[in-house]
Amino acid sequence: MATVTVEVNGRPYAVGCADGQEDRVRALARQFDAQVRAVADSVGNVGDLRLFLMSALILADELQEARGGKASAAPAAASPDGVAEALNAVAARIEKIAQSV
């Protein structure tokens, strides 16, 4: 197993991956970093956990749409501010659940 160091939102993270997959992991990390930075530009400094969660939800939503899934959690007509607000609410609920566990 290989270990790759990637940077997301200006911080390094060591990530394990299968041998030979290092370049793919780096490319995926760059894509994720771009999404995290876009969310950060939209919502401001809300902490890495929330930024990562919000970014992951957006990417998961895009993946579901690409696979022909049902209605998006963030309709195309929604404003970036509305999407950010909805994602902030989801993140806050998840954090509250995590704190109670």
Side-chain angles (χ1 to χ4, degrees), residues 51-88:
L51 287 176
F52 286 16
L53 173 63
M54 292 163 51
S55 298
L57 290 172
I58 290 169
L59 291 171
D61 183 60
E62 290 175 4
L63 178 61
Q64 183 179 15
E65 280 188 8
R67 290 180 173 168
K70 294 193 176 204
S72 158
S79 72
D81 289 337
V83 172
E85 184 177 316
L87 290 173
N88 274 330

Side-chain angles (χ1 to χ4, degrees), residues 1-79:
M1 175 169 265
T3 301
V4 179
T5 300
V6 298
E7 189 172 298
V8 179
N9 201 31
R11 293 185 181 192
Y13 294 90
V15 179
C17 65
D19 290 332
Q21 293 296 309
E22 297 89 348
D23 289 340
R24 178 157 174 74
V25 169
R26 286 184 191 102
L28 291 169
R30 283 191 299 273
Q31 180 183 2
F32 186 67
D33 181 53
Q35 183 65 55
V36 168
R37 290 177 186 270
V39 171
D41 288 346
S42 177
V43 300
N45 184 12
V46 295
D48 284 347
L49 179 62
R50 271 192 173 183
L51 287 176
F52 286 16
L53 173 63
M54 292 163 51
S55 298
L57 290 172
I58 290 169
L59 291 171
D61 183 60
E62 290 175 4
L63 178 61
Q64 183 179 15
E65 280 188 8
R67 290 180 173 168
K70 294 193 176 204
S72 158
S79 72

